[in-house]
Amino acid sequence: MADILVVASKIKKFVREKSGFNTSAEILEVLSQRVEKLCLDGIEKAKADGRKTVKARDLEP
């Protein structure tokens, strides 16, 4: 995966506000990979239901 799918500044701000910690650059790639997997799984569930719209329920385990 080449694209980062999360907003770095938002993630860093969130972590800092919740903990006072810094955020390493590598966390952005890991989070993006998880988002990508979640989306791909949602796409497959929507496809299996015969829909072309991914809904919140498609992202639930």
Side-chain angles (χ1 to χ4, degrees), residues 2-60:
D3 292 332
I4 297 296
L5 301 177
V6 297
V7 179
S9 61
K10 299 282 187 179
I11 298 297
K12 289 179 179 188
K13 180 181 178 191
F14 178 81
V15 170
R16 168 120 10 226
E17 287 178 353
K18 295 295 181 182
S19 66
F21 295 174
N22 293 325
T23 305
S24 73
E26 66 190 11
I27 197 171
L28 303 174
E29 184 175 340
V30 172
L31 283 172
S32 288
Q33 289 170 351
R34 290 189 183 190
V35 169
E36 179 181 39
K37 172 90 169 82
L38 188 63
C39 289
L40 290 173
D41 290 348
I43 289 167
E44 289 305 313
K45 287 180 182 178
K47 194 183 297 183
D49 284 349
R51 290 181 280 109
K52 290 190 175 188
T53 302
V54 178
K55 298 183 176 189
R57 68 179 184 226
D58 297 318
L59 304 181
E60 296 173 357

